[in-house]
Amino acid sequence: MSQPSVEPQHAPARGIPGRIVGIDYARFLALAGMMATHLWTVGDDGGAPLLSAALQGKAASLFAVLAGVGIALSTRGALAAGRPAAAHWSVFGRGLALVVLGLTLGLFPGGILVILVYYGLTFWAMIPFLRVPSRVLVAIAVGWALVWPFLLQAMRSDLVVPFEVGSANWFDLADPLTLVRGLLATGVYPVGTWVVYAMVGMVVGRAVLEASGRAGADASSAGDASQAGDAPAGRRPGAAVRDLGLRIAALGAVLAAAAGFASWLLAVPLGGLRALAAERGEVESVVGQEFYAEHYGGPSADSLWWLASPAPHTGTFFDLAVTCGTALLAIGLCLALGAVLPTAWRRALSPVSGAGAAPLTVYSAHVIVAGFTDAALSTTPWFDGVPWGVSSVQLWLLHVAGALLIGLVLSLVGKRGPLEALVSWVARRFARLGARPDDAQPAARRLDG
């Protein structure tokens, strides 16, 4: 028996109906943040701008948590209907589409490290956990976040370069062992790290679905009570989603702050930085700069003290906790905002929600445009240092404006992004491999059975 949709009608007018608009707002934030870390990396003083430095690791982790949310949302129907095999094959198909697209984008020029192949494998890694209860899934995520950094450091100890695989592309298939090893552990975005974000996202997605269903029930009850002259005062259909969003945001803020504080305790009062400086024979301030600087996929391997670092892309427990916390903070606030915005404001923000509803299309366009722009400008005679066309706030704002333009067009026509439609089509085709024989029979006949 088919299951009714439980997503509330929070989408803006002329947008895609049935979407949870707060999730789309969060996706847009992730896209804009990643664009900043790609395109505004050098300031006037030669260092990283404050905004880009603050977003390092956090924008990508937000996107990864939202990927987990998407897995929960996209499989809800099949799982609720008792068709787990269809859900498993659907996620496999989505992952495969991301791998193919990522390998293709990896062929384009430019310095952006494309993450889609790693994301695709992360989707596959989530298949065994689709029916694991949320409380158990949280325990698994925490346990893995504690164990994985030690494994990651050990597996990367023999690397003589920052990472073994960057933007994976079709040519990397010539050395499949190195490719698989890089994607799982020694690459710039190891799947072993990103599964933590996806697990957290799946738990959030389930909570959103539950709250959305409760919001729908609240709206129905409010309507019935109103007809009877006994409507609950002040109760709005999106109250459950709003309250959930605020709780998620508060949890994220506490998690990020606590993890940052615990890392500082280990590094300063408990002597972590002093020990690292003594081991390397360097000044403590110099070691401190590396301790908090962005790394490529994993921590330094010459001391266990590096596992206390909260630095972006190190994959340490503290990095995972801080970035999961900031991701939850952003998602929670966006959920709360999307649940309470009046129709006029949702309509005004339709370019934002439209772009957020097409993250794969926007991301791919961003990678392609940035790559060709970088390649063209770097070969011009006037290229000197870092021109504004390669790294600047102007370039970042141009790409954000492009994303909003795509979002506006898609919102006006009420269509999904072309790549999102393609991925969904692939997922549906693979989901058929898990269909039961009676799924193809008429509904009435299935009910008789």
Side-chain angles (χ1 to χ4, degrees), residues 220-273:
S220 177
S221 299
D224 294 341
S226 178
Q227 292 177 4
D230 189 26
R235 186 64 172 173
R236 301 181 61 179
V241 176
R242 177 202 63 201
D243 294 345
L244 173 67
L246 294 176
R247 291 196 299 271
I248 290 175
L251 174 63
V254 170
L255 177 61
F261 180 70
S263 172
W264 174 82
L265 282 178
L266 289 171
V268 181
L270 296 181
L273 290 180

Side-chain angles (χ1 to χ4, degrees), residues 39 66 69 152 166 191 203 219 233 244 289 331 361 367 384 393 403 430:
L39 303 174
L66 288 166
V69 174
L152 181 63
V191 172
V203 173
L244 173 67
Q289 291 178 356
I331 292 172
T361 298
V367 170
D384 182 19
V393 63
F430 272 91

Side-chain angles (χ1 to χ4, degrees), residues 56-77:
Q56 285 291 352
K58 297 178 180 64
S61 62
L62 172 57
F63 208 78
V65 173
L66 288 166
V69 174
I71 291 174
L73 298 180
S74 65
T75 57
R76 70 193 184 281

Side-chain angles (χ1 to χ4, degrees), residues 26 33 77 96 112 134 137 182 235 239 263 265 311 318 339 362 365 368 375 381 392:
L96 180 61
I112 295 178
S134 291
L137 197 57
R235 186 64 172 173
S263 172
L265 282 178
F318 301 99
V362 173
I368 294 172
S392 67

Side-chain angles (χ1 to χ4, degrees), residues 273-290 302 306:
L273 290 180
R274 289 195 301 271
L276 288 172
E279 291 174 7
R280 288 194 170 187
E282 297 178 350
V283 179
E284 186 174 330
S285 60
V286 174
V287 174
Q289 291 178 356
E290 182 178 353
D302 54 329
W306 291 110

Side-chain angles (χ1 to χ4, degrees), residues 39-362:
L39 303 174
W40 191 19
T41 57
V42 181
D44 295 335
D45 59 355
L50 181 60
L51 176 64
S52 299
L55 292 175
Q56 285 291 352
K58 297 178 180 64
S61 62
L62 172 57
F63 208 78
V65 173
L66 288 166
V69 174
I71 291 174
L73 298 180
S74 65
T75 57
R76 70 193 184 281
L79 293 176
R83 297 185 288 115
H88 295 166
W89 279 108
S90 173
V91 174
F92 178 85
R94 289 180 184 276
L96 180 61
L98 289 176
V99 169
V100 171
L101 179 59
L103 291 174
T104 303
L105 286 179
L107 298 173
F108 284 86
I112 295 178
L113 295 168
V114 179
I115 199 172
L116 293 185
V117 179
Y118 301 90
Y119 271 178
L121 265 64
T122 301
F123 271 62
W124 292 350
M126 289 299 101
I127 292 175
F129 302 102
L130 292 182
R131 292 193 293 170
V132 174
S134 291
R135 290 185 178 181
V136 177
L137 197 57
V138 169
I140 294 173
V142 173
W144 184 245
L146 288 169
V147 173
W148 171 246
F150 294 92
L151 300 176
L152 181 63
Q153 189 181 54
M155 287 185 287
R156 298 171 68 94
S157 61
D158 294 332
L159 286 183
V160 295
V161 291
F163 51 87
E164 197 169 27
V165 174
S167 295
N169 60 62
W170 292 103
F171 292 110
D172 291 325
L173 295 176
D175 188 357
L177 179 60
T178 299
L179 176 61
V180 171
R181 185 173 62 228
L183 293 174
L184 296 179
T186 59
V188 69
Y189 301 122
V191 172
T193 298
W194 296 95
V195 293
V196 175
Y197 299 122
M199 290 180 187
V200 172
M202 285 175 60
V203 173
V204 172
R206 293 170 181 175
V208 171
L209 285 172
E210 181 181 354
S212 299
R214 186 161 60 248
D218 289 341
S220 177
S221 299
D224 294 341
S226 178
Q227 292 177 4
D230 189 26
R235 186 64 172 173
R236 301 181 61 179
V241 176
R242 177 202 63 201
D243 294 345
L244 173 67
L246 294 176
R247 291 196 299 271
I248 290 175
L251 174 63
V254 170
L255 177 61
F261 180 70
S263 172
W264 174 82
L265 282 178
L266 289 171
V268 181
L270 296 181
L273 290 180
R274 289 195 301 271
L276 288 172
E279 291 174 7
R280 288 194 170 187
E282 297 178 350
V283 179
E284 186 174 330
S285 60
V286 174
V287 174
Q289 291 178 356
E290 182 178 353
F291 188 81
Y292 291 105
E294 179 187 19
H295 285 59
Y296 292 97
S300 299
D302 54 329
S303 173
L304 290 176
W305 278 112
W306 291 110
L307 297 182
S309 171
H313 295 305
T314 55
T316 67
F317 173 79
F318 301 99
D319 170 34
L320 288 168
V322 168
T323 49
C324 279
T326 55
L328 292 176
L329 176 62
I331 292 172
L333 292 178
C334 288
L335 281 172
L337 178 66
V340 301
L341 277 180
T343 301
W345 279 97
R346 293 202 303 270
R347 185 178 294 113
L349 290 175
S350 60
V352 174
S353 58
L360 193 57
T361 298
V362 173

